[in-house]
């Protein structure tokens, strides 16, 4: 991709997953219906507050054993769409293996800057460290997320409560985002591009598996490969996991399945 020679429409299309995946609306609707069912069946620890803003709450799904590993999943939507409750069904795969699971909500752009969003995820993890045991969650945290959540996973991997991570289909270099429709709400600053792009930051010495679908848009594939290469050059742990044939929306359909490749990778991170 020759970014400098591309038109604005071409740059927009380079990051437009909804346009690239023609049945994305149907895939999202299916996931949302399954998530509503998952939450209805496990209502004991939903919408637990961790901060003062409207979306500052957790959905917690404790395992039978408090010291079981906990899969913390950060939802996607390019930091400006969706909510935690729409992704609850993705907890099913690890839950079947006896893990706890948890989904943090966060304020969306433009009501929060990306700096504030990262701070909210770190605040949520602070809360989980202090209050998780009271809700039956005391085991090691494997941090994960998809799309914007993949970026937030890489950005927050250094948190003291996090043992390892699985970043799914993330954006790890923010510079090009400023030249697209996504920046209309994000309004990224030079400082944010420098300090919140995982590819520009010191690598964290914790296991971080990075995965993407081979049918995804080129910038997301390229960012995933580049971040893994940076980490590998420093001999840091974490596999690169291309999911053959998966696109930006089908890749997460692995997570509800206990025997899927991504769930197997999560089990290895515990």
């Amino acid at each position: 991709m020759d970014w400098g020679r591309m038109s604005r429409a071409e740059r927009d299309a380079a990051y437009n997953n909804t346009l690239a995946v023609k049945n994305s609306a149907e895939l999202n609707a299916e996931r949302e219906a399954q998530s509503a069912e998952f939450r209805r069946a496990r209502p004991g620890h939903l919408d637990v507050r961790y901060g003062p803003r409207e979306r500052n709450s957790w959905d917690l799904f404790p395992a039978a054993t408090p010291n079981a590993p906990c899969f913390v999943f950060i939802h996607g939507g390019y930091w400006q769409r969706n909510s935690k409750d729409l992704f609850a069904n993705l907890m099913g795969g690890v839950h079947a293996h006896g893990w706890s699971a948890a989904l943090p909500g966060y304020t969306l752009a433009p009501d929060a800057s990306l700096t504030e969003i990262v701070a909210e995820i770190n605040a949520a993890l602070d809360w989980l460290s202090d209050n998780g045991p009271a809700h039956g969650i005391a085991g090691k945290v494997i941090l994960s997320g998809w799309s914007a959540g993949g970026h937030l996973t890489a950005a927050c991997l250094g948190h003291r409560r996090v043992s390892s991570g699985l970043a799914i289909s993330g954006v790890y270099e923010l510079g090009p985002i400023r030249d697209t429709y996504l920046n209309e709400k994000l309004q990224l600053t030079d400082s944010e591009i420098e300090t919140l792009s995982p590819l520009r930051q010191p690598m964290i010495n914790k296991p971080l598996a990075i995965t993407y679908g081979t049918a995804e848009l080129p910038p997301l594939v390229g960012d995933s490969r580049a971040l893994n290469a940076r980490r590998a050059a420093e001999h840091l742990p974490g596999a690169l996991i291309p999911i053959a044939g998966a696109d930006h929306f089908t890749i997460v359909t692995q997570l509800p399945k206990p025997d899927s490749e991504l769930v197997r990778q999560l089990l290895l991170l515990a």
Side-chain angles (χ1 to χ4, degrees):
M1 296 176 64
D2 188 348
W3 196 252
R5 294 179 179 272
M6 291 168 64
S7 68
R8 171 62 187 268
E10 290 171 328
R11 292 172 179 174
D12 286 349
Y15 282 90
N16 193 326
N17 294 296
T18 300
L19 183 65
V21 181
K22 300 306 181 185
N23 65 333
S24 59
E26 291 83 357
L27 291 167
N28 288 338
E30 183 178 2
R31 187 195 68 246
E32 291 167 16
Q34 292 174 359
S35 293
E37 182 178 348
F38 191 92
R39 293 176 90 245
R40 278 195 299 270
R42 299 163 181 84
H45 304 266
L46 302 181
D47 300 316
V48 181
R49 305 296 307 172
Y50 74 79
R53 304 188 76 171
E54 179 183 358
R55 291 173 175 261
N56 291 168
S57 64
W58 282 97
D59 282 352
L60 305 171
F61 303 103
T65 304
N67 287 328
C70 182
F71 177 50
V72 171
F73 183 84
I74 308 169
H75 75 78
Y78 276 142
W79 310 276
Q80 54 196 273
R81 294 190 299 274
N82 294 326
S83 58
K84 61 178 173 50
D85 51 290
L86 304 180
F87 294 83
N89 75 309
L90 305 187
M91 308 302 96
V94 294
H95 214 53
H97 287 280
W99 284 33
S100 295
L103 298 97
Y106 56 91
T107 307
L108 303 178
D111 294 329
S113 67
L114 189 53
T115 298
E116 291 171 323
I117 291 170
V118 171
E120 286 189 1
I121 297 299
N122 281 316
L125 292 166
D126 287 344
W127 183 96
L128 189 66
S129 181
D130 295 338
N131 299 281
H135 293 270
I137 297 177
K140 63 172 61 176
V141 164
I142 293 80
L143 185 64
S144 185
W146 163 76
S147 197
H151 163 267
L152 293 169
T153 296
C156 298
L157 184 69
H159 191 280
R160 59 188 169 85
R161 188 66 178 87
V162 174
S163 297
S164 57
L166 172 67
I168 305 170
S169 304
V171 175
Y172 309 117
E173 168 54 59
L174 297 173
I177 294 291
R178 190 162 54 181
D179 298 326
T180 73
Y181 72 103
L182 297 171
N183 203 45
E184 292 168 11
K185 290 184 177 180
L186 284 171
Q187 292 294 300
L188 292 167
T189 66
D190 289 343
S191 176
E192 286 177 320
I193 290 170
E194 184 64 34
T195 62
L196 300 180
S197 291
L199 276 166
R200 301 194 190 197
Q201 293 304 297
M203 298 295 104
I204 302 297
N205 189 10
K206 295 180 183 180
L208 177 65
I210 300 168
T211 185
Y212 63 92
T214 61
E216 297 212 51
L217 290 169
L220 278 71
V221 173
D223 276 15
S224 296
R225 291 174 174 170
L227 183 58
N228 177 262
R230 276 284 311 278
R231 291 178 53 80
E234 298 184 25
H235 308 288
L236 299 177
L240 181 66
I241 310 159
I243 302 298
D247 60 44
H248 194 67
F249 296 93
T250 57
I251 191 169
V252 292
T253 63
Q254 293 227 340
L255 291 176
K257 303 171 184 176
D259 60 347
S260 68
E261 184 171 359
L262 287 190
V263 171
R264 291 196 298 271
Q265 291 292 332
L266 283 165
L267 299 178
L268 292 173
L269 288 169

